[in-house]
Every structure is written in structure tokens, then in C-alpha cells.
Amino acid sequence: MNPNIPQTYENHRSYDYAYIGAIVSLLSAAVLAAALLFNLLPHADLLLKGLVLYILLVNVIVLHKARVYPLMMQDRIISLEMRLRLQKLIPPEEHWQINGLNKNQLIALHYASDEELPGLMLKVLDQRITDRDTIKQMITNWTADYERI
């Protein structure tokens, strides 16, 4: 995402098109190779066909995990960052409320400005809102995060 463009709910998601293109092309090639093997070599050894299917399945799993693991780590870091940020922004006698927030709430609140965050946190807790998109849409003073994966 271009840091010169103000970030909002509508444009905060970013996509790595090179990564997506590489995955799609790799999986397409593997599916094509498997289809050709099964159609052009109908009498090919069952072990060879099984091996090709196994390689295809492993590729799908590895590529999926290569995307999911960084996102999981990023979510853990944002959760910790938000707990620390909230401890600085709300009075110490209200710190117990931070423990009432789940990971989805913390991550969605990540985009709220320091001025808006304490009030929005209370609203999210009072109304028991857990959907990330719903919380993000409630933010009026958006704080950009250009480093999000």
C-alpha cells in the first residue's frame, strides 16, 4: 500500500500479487501435470500416480502454511501491542477490562486513534461486538498500518 494515500477501512487490506501469482501458477502447473499424467498415461504405474498426487497435496499444504504462519504471528504481536497501548491510554483502575477483549477485537481496534480507542474499547465490550469488520467500520479516526501483511 502506498503510504502517501491515507489509509481507511475501504483500502486497508493489501495483497502481494507476486506471491499470489506464484502460488496460482505453481498449483496450476502441478494440477496440469497431474491431469496430463492421468490422461496421457492411463496405464502408468499406480505408485507414480500416487506420488504425483502426494506432491500436489504437499504443495497445497506448504503454500497455505507459508501464508498462514506469518499472519498468525502478526496477530499475536498486534494483540500484545494493543494490550500495552491500552494500558497506557486507560486509567490503571480500568486495566481489568483489557482482559475482556479477545484477539479479533484487539486486532480490529488496532486501527483506532489513541483519542478514540478507550471509548471504542468500552463500546465494543458493552455491546459484545466480536466481528473485525464491524469494529473497523465503527472507527472514525483511522490510524494507518502500512506494515500489515
Side-chain angles (χ1 to χ4, degrees):
M1 169 162 227
N2 184 349
N4 298 323
I5 299 172
Q7 193 178 71
T8 64
Y9 172 76
E10 287 76 23
N11 70 2
H12 79 284
R13 288 185 173 90
S14 66
Y15 301 97
D16 184 348
Y17 293 106
Y19 177 79
I20 293 169
I23 288 175
V24 169
S25 65
L26 178 63
L27 291 178
S28 297
V31 168
L32 180 63
L36 288 173
L37 175 67
F38 281 87
N39 289 329
L40 297 178
L41 303 171
H43 303 294
D45 188 33
L46 185 61
L47 183 62
L48 178 62
K49 289 180 179 179
L51 181 62
V52 169
L53 286 177
Y54 173 75
I55 291 170
L56 179 62
L57 179 63
V58 169
N59 273 317
V60 169
I61 292 169
V62 167
L63 291 172
H64 173 73
K65 294 295 184 180
R67 176 70 180 140
V68 170
Y69 286 157
L71 291 176
M72 290 171 56
M73 183 57 65
Q74 176 175 262
D75 287 348
R76 289 184 67 182
I77 292 168
I78 289 174
S79 296
L80 175 61
E81 173 191 345
M82 286 304 298
R83 290 181 190 284
L84 293 172
R85 191 170 154 211
L86 284 164
Q87 285 178 359
K88 288 186 344 185
L89 295 174
I90 63 174
E93 60 272 8
E94 295 180 21
H95 283 182
W96 62 271
Q97 295 181 53
I98 298 170
N99 293 329
L101 294 167
N102 66 33
K103 185 170 61 172
N104 283 332
Q105 292 167 319
L106 287 165
I107 291 165
L109 288 170
H110 172 68
Y111 295 100
S113 67
D114 285 352
E115 299 79 27
E116 185 178 17
L117 184 57
L120 192 55
M121 178 197 77
L122 293 175
K123 189 174 183 179
V124 164
L125 286 171
D126 290 343
Q127 296 179 12
R128 295 186 175 102
I129 302 169
T130 58
D131 180 62
R132 286 187 191 186
D133 283 333
T134 303
I135 296 169
K136 289 178 192 176
Q137 290 170 351
M138 294 168 63
I139 298 170
T140 56
N141 190 5
W142 193 273
T143 300
D145 180 358
Y146 298 110
E147 296 176 350
R148 184 130 170 91
I149 295 176

